[in-house]
Amino acid sequence: MKVSETPETRSKDTEVAASASISIDRVLGELSVNYPQADLNLIQQAFDLSRKAHEGQFRESGEPYVVHPVAVAQILAELRMDCVTIAAALLHDVVEDAGIEDRQLRHEFGDEIAFLVEGVTKVSRLVSDSSYEDEQLESFRRLLVATAKDQRTVLIKLADRLHNMRTLQYLSSDKRKLACQSTLDIYAPLAHRMGIGRVKDELEDLALKFLHPDIYRDLKEKVAQKAPERQIIIEQASEVLRKTLQSEDLRFEISKRVKHYYSIYRKMVTTHRSFDEIYDLLALRILTEKDSDCYLILGKVHQLWKPLDGRFKDFISVPKVNGYRSLHTTVVGPRSRLMEIQIRTHDMHNVAENGIAAHWRYKRDQGTTTRVGDDTRWLGQFSQDLLETVSPEEFMDSLKVDLFAEEIVVYTPNSDLIQLPRGSTIVDFAYKIHSEVGDHCRAGKVNGKFVPLSYVIQTGDRVEVITKKEARPSRDWLSFAKTARARNKIRKFLMQVERGELLETGKALLTRELERLRVPVKMLEDPEKMTRVFEDFHLRTLDELYVSVGFGKVLTKHVISRLLPKTQLFQKKQASEATPGMIPIRDIDGYSYRRALCCNPLPGDPIVGFVTKNRGISIHAKECQSLASANVSEARLLPLYWDRGESESFQVEIGVEATDRERLLSDITSVIASTGTNIRGSVARSQDDGTAKLVFMMDVVDVDHVNRVINRLIPIPGVKTVIRRTKPSRQLSDAASTSPKGKRKRTHKKK
């Protein structure tokens, strides 16, 4: 969030630079406490270079830019990270934004710090350059892949996102929406998966604050109103607990905990309850010394208050994948109020709050030099699985299933515990055990009974895989396999078996698309051009690319988007629709022209120009019914085609018909915002038959942009149809009705 220097911002330089100096003192203070032998000179040296490199650069708030890397370093210091990580945080933008060369960093700070800065820089560059949904997803893929090399990279990126979210008020409304959506979709779940509870909670609350300010403000007020009553109940429960546990001669601490705002909001949405119907806002946390003490305290708690059926979870015996360990129980406490109680040791609490940062601290306390992540190898493995996931849609599905979904715990016939994402099938279980087990899986048994391979297993199931040497994966498995690992292994096997046929198919598909766009096919033999293609799709040869395209694993449009710059690709697409004698839009720049309101054509639509008598050239869609009914002379029509770049935007309307429900408007606007689309305005109306009709005015660049938005809206629960409206609406009542004469409409129905 950086802007160029202005007189207004420059005047603040001296004042805020002092605050940066104070902040670095806080960083040094934290390090001195956490690491008495820390090399504080390294931190001061990194701060000095960062301040000098960012001199004259300012954030949207008007603050000198150096305030940002210092704030990121402060967040990491509070997570008790080491000097190397904090120095890298101070320097994380100097390569990308200040032109400092990598070799200078390596000379002054060593390979390790330079490596971390390079990792963060690559991710940041991808995010900042991305303007399409698939490129945004690619940036997230790179972020996770970077963690396989050193997970401190993602820690710095999370701290960077947290500080940017803390100062989000200085950005435009559209940029705030995009930042909030990506925070909720990726960064907050990633912080949760890495076990950093404090960062995850704050990210979610900040996203709620800026995405739904009215809801956030209302929740904050209601929580504050309930505070006195809640305090009385908590104090009563704490006093009873304290007296009971003191009689057992246990060392313990009791603290209160209130659900953060976003978790309250999510519970209200998922359970369809009002705030007053959320009864488990109260929570106590008991910290003790030993694992055995946790179970002893649990027994005492259940003697004092009746536990709620189905609300006890033992994450000590079966920890979460991210290392989280604790006992959770919900009881009927004082005044018959539901109360959640968490019981854990101090070490468990450190891990719950700080995640992999706590693992790093623990390893360093033991006198080792083990890097962050040795206790969280699951993330590195998942990052490797993502290398095989190319489609943006499948990548997002993999994130939701493998990384962010709730976990289940099942048992092998030998009673070994296996953790899988919720929704996993027998095939997913088989590939989790071993690739050979998956490749030769023939049937499955759950709790002693035969089940189909598509059977969705549940927590507590005892699962057995029946293998046979002749058994082989089939394409049908891809329709129900959930995990990235299983899907990638199935594809790998099928692509080997069908390699010859797939190679020819892929070559034909890619060649035909290049010829259609009038791109030389010889470009595929250009090593310089193909380097990015091979790197991005993790391939080594052109034949491997053909096989991947033939299988459908790599789409031709994704290959071509990496061969051509965006503007050139756009022009190629438009020119490919042209025939000899057609005129590009740029050739009528000397004339007055406008898009016709009756059909509102966009780049990507076949078009024709109508030469009017007094208003220049009116650009219509070729299939415009108004133009056809006017019986205009052929002499007044110009055969045109679009050749504009993507820097231009056009206004277009879409209409949505859906089953009316709570948060429908919010869900739709969030999805539109997540595609990077600016919403200029919207109207919505509930109908007597229980449906809702909504119209949105948006800024788009072309037909593909509109279709991308529509394709994302169709899967939203309750949505029935989505239309591109080609004539501006005056009333909402006809938003999803049959279009009148002269109005072209495309309707997309959920299958």
Side-chain angles (χ1 to χ4, degrees):
M1 295 194 296
K2 185 171 70 230
V3 296
S4 58
E5 183 177 1
T6 65
E8 292 78 7
T9 56
R10 193 185 304 115
S11 65
K12 298 181 181 180
D13 191 8
T14 304
E15 176 185 348
V16 188
S19 68
S21 178
I22 293 173
S23 297
I24 198 64
D25 289 340
R26 290 180 57 193
V27 172
L28 294 171
E30 289 275 359
L31 275 170
S32 298
V33 172
N34 296 332
Y35 300 93
Q37 305 301 318
D39 182 4
L40 300 185
N41 289 331
L42 175 67
I43 304 303
Q44 188 64 52
Q45 181 186 357
F47 170 67
D48 291 341
L49 177 59
S50 182
R51 180 169 54 182
K52 182 179 179 180
H54 293 300
E55 188 174 1
Q57 297 177 347
F58 296 84
R59 307 189 82 225
E60 297 283 0
S61 62
E63 297 175 313
Y65 193 80
V66 71
V67 170
H68 171 65
V70 171
V72 173
Q74 175 65 28
I75 292 169
L76 292 167
E78 291 169 357
L79 289 172
R80 304 177 73 186
M81 291 305 297
D82 67 311
C83 284
V84 170
T85 309
I86 291 173
L90 288 167
L91 299 166
H92 78 272
D93 278 335
V94 298
V95 174
E96 176 70 11
D97 295 327
I100 300 296
E101 294 186 1
D102 176 72
R103 61 184 178 183
Q104 179 181 345
L105 284 183
R106 292 187 184 278
H107 175 71
E108 295 187 27
F109 296 96
D111 291 343
E112 189 173 12
I113 290 176
F115 175 81
L116 291 174
V117 173
E118 180 188 20
V120 178
T121 299
K122 285 183 177 179
V123 174
S124 299
R125 183 179 295 126
L126 276 163
V127 173
S128 63
D129 287 350
S130 297
S131 42
Y132 287 99
E133 186 181 7
D134 58 346
E135 292 180 352
Q136 287 286 355
L137 295 179
E138 178 64 19
S139 70
F140 295 135
R141 180 212 308 278
R142 293 288 183 90
L143 172 61
L144 291 180
V145 169
T147 67
K149 299 177 180 178
D150 195 314
Q151 292 179 21
R152 285 175 291 181
T153 299
V154 79
L155 280 173
I156 297 171
K157 193 61 192 173
L158 284 173
D160 173 69
R161 173 51 63 108
L162 179 55
H163 182 247
N164 282 334
M165 289 296 294
R166 288 175 177 175
T167 55
L168 206 59
Q169 67 269 27
Y170 299 107
L171 294 186
S172 67
S173 174
D174 295 329
K175 289 183 178 179
R176 285 201 301 267
K177 287 180 180 178
L178 282 173
C180 289
Q181 200 60 53
S182 63
T183 294
L184 291 176
D185 288 344
I186 302 294
Y187 289 101
L190 186 57
H192 170 68
R193 195 65 160 147
M194 299 182 79
I196 315 173
R198 66 165 80 175
V199 172
K200 177 270 237 185
D201 289 352
E202 187 176 354
L203 284 173
E204 289 180 338
D205 279 352
L206 288 168
L208 178 64
K209 176 182 178 180
F210 290 108
L211 202 57
H212 305 294
D214 293 339
I215 295 175
Y216 178 84
R217 189 164 45 248
D218 183 56
L219 280 177
K220 192 173 182 179
E221 291 174 356
K222 288 179 177 178
V223 169
Q225 290 170 1
K226 294 282 187 179
E229 177 189 357
R230 188 169 59 246
Q231 184 65 26
I232 293 173
I233 297 173
I234 287 290
E235 288 178 355
Q236 289 179 352
S238 298
E239 185 61 26
V240 172
L241 258 177
R242 190 172 288 107
K243 289 180 179 179
T244 300
L245 297 180
Q246 282 174 346
S247 65
E248 297 296 326
D249 194 28
L250 290 169
R251 297 183 64 182
F252 62 90
E253 294 177 13
I254 300 176
S255 61
K256 66 179 180 180
R257 171 183 172 273
V258 180
K259 285 181 178 290
H260 65 293
Y261 300 120
Y262 186 79
S263 67
I264 299 172
Y265 165 73
R266 285 299 302 163
K267 188 155 192 177
M268 291 168 61
V269 170
T270 56
T271 62
H272 304 290
R273 296 178 184 175
S274 67
F275 177 83
D276 293 330
E277 295 174 305
I278 305 297
Y279 299 114
D280 58 346
L281 296 179
L282 304 175
L284 284 178
R285 181 176 291 139
I286 307 171
L287 303 183
T288 186
E289 299 297 322
K290 299 180 295 184
D291 292 14
S292 57
D293 291 343
C294 294
Y295 292 98
L296 178 59
I297 292 172
L298 176 69
K300 295 299 179 182
V301 167
H302 285 175
Q303 287 177 12
L304 288 171
W305 300 297
K306 180 182 177 181
L308 212 61
D309 289 341
R311 295 297 298 271
F312 169 66
K313 295 181 180 179
D314 183 353
F315 296 119
I316 294 180
S317 296
V318 185
K320 292 186 177 182
V321 174
N322 61 15
Y324 179 87
R325 302 176 70 211
S326 184
L327 298 178
H328 291 191
T329 185
T330 300
V331 299
V332 182
R335 301 188 181 185
S336 298
R337 294 293 302 274
L338 295 183
M339 184 169 57
E340 184 185 68
I341 297 179
Q342 298 177 352
I343 308 168
R344 61 179 72 143
T345 66
H346 291 282
D347 286 341
M348 294 175 193
H349 182 62
N350 184 25
V351 173
E353 291 294 297
N354 300 324
I356 66 170
H359 290 294
W360 171 253
R361 169 72 180 180
Y362 176 79
K363 291 294 183 183
R364 291 298 295 262
D365 285 348
Q366 300 301 314
T368 71
T369 57
T370 307
R371 285 188 170 190
V372 169
D374 275 20
D375 296 312
T376 51
R377 294 187 183 92
W378 59 269
L379 189 54
Q381 178 60 57
F382 179 68
S383 299
Q384 294 301 319
D385 289 337
L386 280 180
L387 292 175
E388 302 296 328
T389 305
V390 176
S391 160
E393 294 79 10
E394 185 178 339
F395 173 74
M396 202 62 187
D397 289 342
S398 295
L399 281 180
K400 292 176 180 178
V401 172
D402 291 68
L403 195 58
F404 302 153
E406 293 182 20
E407 304 152 17
I408 62 171
V409 178
V410 297
Y411 299 89
T412 69
N414 296 327
S415 298
D416 295 326
L417 292 178
I418 300 294
Q419 290 175 309
L420 288 164
R422 186 175 297 280
S424 294
T425 64
I426 299 294
V427 166
D428 296 300
F429 176 87
Y431 279 106
K432 177 77 172 182
I433 298 299
H434 196 278
S435 299
E436 287 293 320
V437 175
D439 285 346
H440 300 289
C441 174
R442 178 167 183 174
K445 278 186 175 182
V446 173
N447 303 323
K449 296 181 179 180
F450 279 99
V451 295
L453 295 178
S454 59
Y455 180 86
V456 178
I457 52 183
Q458 307 293 328
T459 288
D461 283 345
R462 186 175 296 274
V463 184
E464 180 180 358
V465 177
I466 311 299
T467 61
K468 190 172 182 179
K469 187 176 180 179
E470 295 78 17
R472 294 290 185 270
S474 73
R475 282 182 178 263
D476 292 341
W477 291 11
L478 291 172
S479 65
F480 55 78
K482 297 296 183 184
T483 61
R485 178 178 178 80
R487 296 177 65 83
N488 291 334
K489 295 294 183 182
I490 295 166
R491 280 202 196 90
K492 184 177 181 180
F493 184 91
L494 294 175
M495 288 169 68
Q496 288 175 341
V497 172
E498 304 170 8
R499 180 178 175 83
E501 180 181 346
L502 293 173
L503 191 150
E504 293 301 320
T505 300
K507 185 176 183 179
L509 287 172
L510 194 51
T511 300
R512 184 166 63 244
E513 184 63 13
L514 287 170
E515 290 174 345
R516 187 182 74 83
L517 294 173
R518 302 176 186 177
V519 177
V521 177
K522 286 188 176 181
M523 189 177 288
L524 295 173
E525 300 173 4
D526 185 339
E528 185 177 345
K529 291 285 187 182
M530 295 301 294
T531 296
R532 184 187 174 191
V533 177
F534 292 153
E535 286 181 353
D536 283 359
F537 298 130
H538 316 292
L539 303 169
R540 293 171 296 178
T541 66
L542 186 57
D543 282 355
E544 287 185 2
L545 176 63
Y546 288 146
V547 171
S548 295
V549 171
F551 192 82
K553 179 181 175 183
V554 176
L555 301 182
T556 55
K557 66 176 183 179
H558 293 151
V559 176
I560 295 170
S561 69
R562 286 157 173 81
L563 291 174
L564 299 177
K566 292 179 186 175
T567 302
Q568 184 181 355
L569 176 59
F570 180 83
Q571 292 172 351
K572 289 284 187 183
K573 286 181 177 178
Q574 302 307 322
S576 68
E577 304 298 330
T579 57
M582 296 186 72
I583 304 170
I585 286 286
R586 68 172 179 271
D587 283 1
I588 62 172
D589 275 347
Y591 302 88
S592 173
Y593 64 88
R594 63 182 177 85
R595 290 188 305 148
L597 294 178
C598 55
C599 52
N600 197 24
L602 293 173
D605 287 328
I607 54 173
V608 63
F610 171 54
V611 182
T612 67
K613 293 181 178 180
N614 301 312
R615 292 182 298 169
I617 299 172
S618 178
I619 300 176
H620 291 257
K622 263 190 176 181
E623 57 188 66
C624 176
Q625 296 180 20
S626 294
L627 190 64
S629 62
N631 294 319
V632 299
S633 168
E634 288 288 335
R636 297 175 65 183
L637 297 179
L638 297 176
L640 300 177
Y641 70 90
W642 296 100
D643 65 334
R644 292 299 191 189
E646 295 179 3
S647 59
E648 294 186 75
S649 64
F650 303 85
Q651 292 182 18
V652 70
E653 286 185 4
I654 60 170
V656 180
E657 181 177 2
T659 302
D660 200 8
R661 62 173 175 81
E662 291 184 9
R663 295 191 73 253
L664 175 65
L665 179 61
S666 173
D667 288 347
I668 293 175
T669 55
S670 294
V671 167
I672 295 175
S674 71
T675 65
T677 305
N678 177 44
I679 301 175
R680 286 188 168 269
S682 64
V683 286
R685 179 177 297 171
S686 296
Q687 308 294 310
D688 293 338
D689 60 359
T691 62
K693 294 183 178 181
L694 311 94
V695 175
F696 297 89
M697 171 69 76
M698 312 179 305
D699 290 332
V700 300
V701 296
D702 57 16
V703 171
D704 288 343
H705 188 165
V706 178
N707 291 337
R708 197 159 56 243
V709 173
I710 290 173
N711 290 336
R712 287 294 302 275
L713 293 177
I714 290 292
I716 294 177
V719 170
K720 297 178 179 179
T721 60
V722 184
I723 64 171
R724 170 187 162 192
R725 300 175 57 81
T726 53
K727 185 175 182 180
S729 60
R730 295 185 178 275
Q731 295 181 347
L732 184 64
S733 58
D734 66 339
S737 62
T738 303
S739 53
K741 188 175 182 180
K743 175 173 158 187
R744 191 166 48 92
K745 184 180 77 171
R746 296 175 182 173
T747 303
H748 302 256
K749 294 186 178 181
K750 184 176 292 188
K751 296 180 180 180

